Amino acid sequence: MKNENILNIDQHTFIKEIEIYKVDDELNILLYKNTSFEVSQVLYQIIKFLKEGMSIKSIYEKFSFKDVNLDSFKTLIVNKIEELIQEVSGTVDRVQVDSIHKLFNILNDKTTDILSGKLSFLFRKGVLISLCVIFLSSLIFILSGRLAIHKPSIGINHIWILYLCFFIIGIFHELGHSSASKYYGAKPSEISLGIFLIFPVFYTDVTKTWGLNRMKRIVTSLGGIYFQMIIHLVLFGMLFFKIDISLKGYIYYIILQNIGLMIFNLNPFFKTDGYWVVSDIFGIRNLNTKSKELIKFFLKSKYHPDYPFKENKALYIYTYLYSIIGTALLFFITYKVFDTLHMYYSIIIEGVRMEFLTVFKRSLILFFLVVFHFIPFLKKKIKKQTI
């Protein structure tokens, strides 16, 4: 009996669209709509054979199951594929709501692919090591205090220029990820602007790097910071040219801000570069999800039955730190919301005058919370009630 007579159209489409990667002997990844899932070795093989066009009867004979007859196996496969479709669809919707809210593309697939191909030579071992050594040397020079440059006073007329610089740095950072992906043979995706929690972020999808080994994935995750290092070296070199002292001050200010962004991107508690690096170093997928599960058990003074402490020490340490950082962020957001509401009260009721730029900057957090969290939450609730 052919698969066409067993699987429905949606199931056939699902099998056709998913991508599968065998990362190592223990890790098999299913990729669907840029969302990855870990699957068992048996399920990986079955999906692989289905994608190759094998009939379910041939797959059954290949595995030589003793405790399951052919009819039961067919039913089991159909049910499992349907379960996967439901799980994957639900997770894709949840990821779109809970992680990054896409605003618009900055560079499309084709442009990103071309630029990444041009820049991928920077990941050649000799080039990469040389630039890293020069970068560390420049940091030592800065920390030594030999640069007698003072931070300039940033006026309203200059702040838009600085924003433009950080915009360029953000795009170049993402090109670092896509260029590393291209260098190792994984097709890069578009570069977009979105909102993560309450923060504007640039991002590019590199989930296809699951087909790479662990070290190559780590290099890809650090590719953005590596490209920020290159920007740092260009700016650092400009300080030694004979240019206006005030311009040097602005360049030095951008250098310091760029270093700050690099440090922030190394933090493993948001889904920045450091998160994926830590995930790969310790071989723990879905760090945030697993940490949230552990926290629920912590609140009940219990250990999670699926994650014994002795075998998951790194996960438990991460979870403790994650809960502290998460609590601090919650207090920070709460404070900012009340601070913004108090500002509106002062302006509307008390008649206090403030500069537009000040009001705009202090209103952003509340705006992002309402537009990208509160409104989607209401829509989801309304949708559930109408079903």
Side-chain angles (χ1 to χ4, degrees):
M1 182 179 275
K2 293 184 179 180
N3 296 342
E4 285 78 3
N5 298 328
I6 299 174
L7 304 180
N8 61 38
I9 295 174
D10 289 338
Q11 291 165 346
H12 272 295
T13 302
F14 175 73
I15 292 296
K16 184 179 178 181
E17 290 181 351
I18 60 175
E19 300 174 54
I20 52 175
Y21 298 97
K22 186 171 183 60
V23 180
D24 53 42
D25 293 336
E26 298 180 355
L27 183 58
N28 305 288
I29 297 296
L30 180 154
L31 182 63
Y32 181 73
K33 291 185 178 180
N34 298 328
T35 304
S36 59
F37 304 84
E38 187 175 344
V39 294
S40 67
Q41 177 65 20
V42 174
L43 186 56
Y44 168 84
Q45 289 292 345
I46 290 172
I47 293 174
K48 182 174 181 289
F49 291 145
L50 287 172
K51 287 181 71 66
E52 291 172 355
M54 286 182 65
S55 66
I56 292 182
K57 182 179 179 181
S58 299
I59 297 171
Y60 175 79
E61 292 171 349
K62 197 171 186 69
F63 277 97
S64 302
F65 291 109
K66 295 180 180 179
D67 300 328
V68 182
N69 60 38
L70 179 57
D71 289 335
S72 298
F73 181 71
K74 290 175 181 178
T75 303
L76 185 67
I77 292 301
V78 171
N79 291 341
K80 188 61 183 176
I81 292 174
E82 188 58 37
E83 285 176 17
L84 270 177
I85 291 174
Q86 296 302 321
E87 179 186 353
V88 166
S89 299
T91 305
V92 168
D93 291 339
R94 189 167 66 249
V95 167
Q96 290 173 347
V97 172
D98 293 342
S99 57
I100 296 177
H101 298 267
K102 181 177 178 178
L103 298 179
F104 55 85
N105 287 342
I106 296 171
L107 299 176
N108 60 30
D109 287 351
K110 185 177 180 181
T111 305
T112 303
D113 189 53
I114 292 171
L115 291 174
S116 299
K118 299 289 185 183
L119 296 169
S120 61
F121 77 94
L122 292 165
F123 287 91
R124 293 174 186 168
K125 192 173 181 180
V127 177
L128 190 150
I129 293 174
S130 299
L131 290 176
C132 287
V133 170
I134 297 171
F135 170 74
L136 290 174
S137 300
S138 72
L139 282 185
I140 293 170
F141 188 85
I142 291 173
L143 292 172
S144 69
R146 296 180 185 178
L147 283 174
I149 300 174
H150 299 286
K151 176 183 171 182
S153 57
I154 307 298
I156 296 176
N157 296 331
H158 302 111
I159 198 163
W160 303 112
I161 298 174
L162 293 175
Y163 281 156
L164 176 62
C165 290
F166 295 137
F167 184 84
I168 294 170
I169 289 172
I171 295 174
F172 201 63
H173 174 102
E174 298 308 322
L175 277 172
H177 295 304
S178 60
S179 297
S181 179
K182 180 77 173 179
Y183 180 75
Y184 291 125
K187 185 175 176 59
S189 183
E190 72 272 1
I191 293 175
S192 308
L193 180 67
I195 301 294
F196 176 67
L197 296 178
I198 57 172
F199 307 106
V201 292
F202 297 94
Y203 69 97
T204 185
D205 177 50
V206 290
T207 47
K208 293 185 185 297
T209 56
W210 277 114
L212 306 176
N213 64 41
R214 184 178 297 186
M215 184 52 66
K216 289 178 180 178
R217 292 200 305 272
I218 290 174
V219 173
T220 302
S221 295
L222 292 173
I225 293 174
Y226 172 55
F227 267 39
Q228 282 185 258
M229 286 168 45
I230 294 173
I231 289 178
H232 167 92
L233 292 177
V234 172
L235 294 173
F236 181 74
M238 290 174 66
L239 295 177
F240 296 93
F241 285 93
K242 290 184 178 180
I243 55 179
D244 185 72
I245 295 177
S246 60
L247 179 58
K248 279 190 177 183
Y250 284 110
I251 292 172
Y252 186 60
Y253 176 76
I254 295 171
I255 286 174
L256 294 180
Q257 295 300 311
N258 184 46
I259 292 172
L261 287 173
M262 292 166 69
I263 294 170
F264 175 79
N265 278 311
L266 282 171
N267 98 78
F269 302 107
F270 303 133
K271 285 194 174 180
T272 52
D273 304 340
Y275 172 87
W276 304 108
V277 172
V278 169
S279 178
D280 271 324
I281 288 175
F282 292 103
I284 305 172
R285 293 193 67 251
N286 300 319
L287 265 173
N288 281 358
T289 302
K290 289 178 180 177
S291 292
K292 289 173 183 176
E293 290 178 13
L294 285 180
I295 289 171
K296 290 178 182 178
F297 278 82
F298 288 166
L299 295 174
K300 299 176 184 178
S301 300
K302 296 179 181 179
Y303 284 114
H304 197 294
D306 296 333
Y307 309 119
F309 178 75
K310 290 184 179 180
E311 300 171 11
N312 297 274
K313 290 181 181 178
L315 176 60
Y316 276 83
I317 292 171
Y318 177 88
T319 301
Y320 284 127
L321 296 174
Y322 176 77
S323 61
I324 293 170
I325 298 296
T327 303
L329 179 63
L330 180 62
F331 276 112
F332 170 77
I333 293 174
T334 303
Y335 165 76
K336 284 294 182 181
V337 168
F338 279 103
D339 182 56
T340 304
L341 293 175
H342 180 264
M343 176 189 69
Y344 292 152
Y345 177 85
S346 300
I347 294 172
I348 298 170
I349 306 300
E350 298 178 352
V352 176
R353 292 187 177 184
M354 291 187 182
E355 291 183 355
F356 170 77
L357 190 60
T358 302
V359 176
F360 175 76
K361 284 167 41 177
R362 291 174 64 178
S363 300
L364 284 177
I365 288 180
L366 188 60
F367 173 79
F368 291 146
L369 280 174
V370 171
V371 174
F372 299 106
H373 293 280
F374 183 68
I375 293 177
F377 174 78
L378 283 181
K379 286 183 178 178
K380 192 175 180 181
K381 286 291 184 184
I382 294 170
K383 186 178 179 181
K384 280 185 178 181
Q385 291 176 356
T386 55
I387 294 175

